[in-house]
Amino acid sequence: MPWHMAIYEYHEEKHGCLHIFGGKKILKIKICGLTRLEDIACVNRLMPDYIGFVFWPGSRRYVSAEQAARLKAALSPRIRAVGVFVDAPAEEIVGLLREGVIDMAQLHGEEPEEDLRRIRELTGKPVIRAVKVRCRRDVEAWQGSAADYLLFDSGMGSGQTFDWSLLDGVNRPYFLAGGLGQDNLEQVLARVRPYGVDLSSSLETDGYKDPEKIRRVTELVRNAKI
């Protein structure tokens, strides 16, 4: 069995993720940047696989640990909460994971691999390494990362796409982010085969998550043929 297929099965058993069912690859969906209880009520109805809380103060979608704890308390236990960090102290991330405020960590800064390994060793929880893609070297540089998943993006919260052909040959599980939405998801999935898609900006109206946009894109992903 190829190593990356073994990883999918490992995550299904250890972390409750279903990626292959009856020989069919199931695309995961992550809705990032939730800030309100209304957002939680929406995702509880639509059941994406993951949601994201942004702990970087530079983001307009920033939530404090206290806000995130309130939101997580209302979240369906079937949806996994991912904490998004930019160069936060490893101790802060470990604390949120141990307290159950988040179920996974997503690192967007210059965090060394040593921090990533430490977070995993101290919590036993999965870690996503976000990679800003500008050229093929950016993709290749992180293929040996200790992260459970990579996330390829054009820049945190930029809402811009990048050249998806740069992902050709990636043979480990990854999330795809950056300007994804209802208008281009079918085109994306005809070109690349991610483990999951990560959406945020395209699901907003006037700066807030729009339940109808979330519904439409969730249906599209669930019906995707990959």
Side-chain angles (χ1 to χ4, degrees):
M1 176 186 295
W3 74 270
H4 57 287
M5 296 291 284
I7 285 179
Y8 295 150
E9 292 194 356
Y10 163 79
H11 281 283
E12 178 181 345
E13 177 181 352
K14 184 173 179 62
H15 301 305
C17 300
L18 180 62
H19 191 69
I20 298 175
F21 181 78
K24 181 182 179 181
K25 191 174 179 181
I26 307 299
L27 183 67
K28 300 296 187 180
I29 181 169
K30 176 172 173 279
I31 309 297
C32 201
L34 274 59
T35 60
R36 307 173 301 164
L37 285 171
E38 299 98 298
D39 301 336
I40 299 297
C42 173
V43 296
N44 283 346
R45 292 193 302 272
L46 298 172
M47 296 303 293
D49 303 284
Y50 305 89
I51 60 92
F53 297 136
V54 179
F55 293 98
W56 179 47
S59 171
R60 64 179 177 82
R61 303 179 184 95
Y62 167 78
V63 293
S64 67
E66 293 75 18
Q67 288 173 301
R70 288 193 294 271
L71 295 172
K72 177 65 185 303
L75 183 68
S76 167
R78 294 172 56 195
I79 303 172
R80 307 185 73 203
V82 180
V84 178
F85 302 91
V86 180
D87 296 322
E91 293 76 13
E92 174 186 337
I93 299 171
V94 168
L96 290 167
L97 286 165
R98 284 179 167 171
E99 292 164 11
V101 176
I102 55 175
D103 305 302
M104 301 172 64
Q106 180 173 314
L107 309 183
H108 269 266
E110 301 297 325
E111 302 89 352
E113 284 285 287
E114 290 78 9
D115 279 6
L116 190 153
R117 293 189 183 93
R118 184 167 176 235
I119 292 167
R120 292 185 64 202
E121 289 170 1
L122 291 175
T123 67
K125 299 298 179 68
V127 178
I128 302 169
R129 163 66 75 179
V131 178
K132 183 176 180 179
V133 179
R134 294 155 296 190
C135 63
R136 178 65 185 179
R137 287 191 301 275
D138 295 327
V139 175
E140 294 172 346
W142 293 102
Q143 289 307 295
S145 173
D148 297 86
Y149 304 97
L150 299 177
L151 181 146
F152 295 113
D153 198 352
S154 57
M156 184 176 173
S158 70
Q160 303 297 312
T161 61
F162 63 92
D163 182 358
W164 303 315
S165 70
L166 296 173
L167 302 181
D168 289 350
V170 175
N171 62 355
R172 60 175 294 170
Y174 67 88
F175 288 87
L176 182 63
L180 303 182
Q182 184 180 5
D183 294 339
N184 65 6
L185 267 176
E186 290 185 355
Q187 178 187 357
V188 171
L189 298 177
R191 185 67 183 80
V192 294
R193 294 292 185 270
Y195 169 83
V197 290
D198 186 315
L199 303 100
S200 184
S201 302
S202 69
L203 303 181
E204 295 177 347
T205 298
D206 298 328
Y208 294 99
K209 291 294 183 286
D210 185 320
E212 179 59 19
K213 290 181 178 179
I214 295 175
R215 183 193 66 78
R216 290 199 298 264
V217 82
T218 301
E219 285 187 1
L220 192 157
V221 171
R222 293 292 182 233
N223 294 325
K225 296 179 181 180
I226 60 174

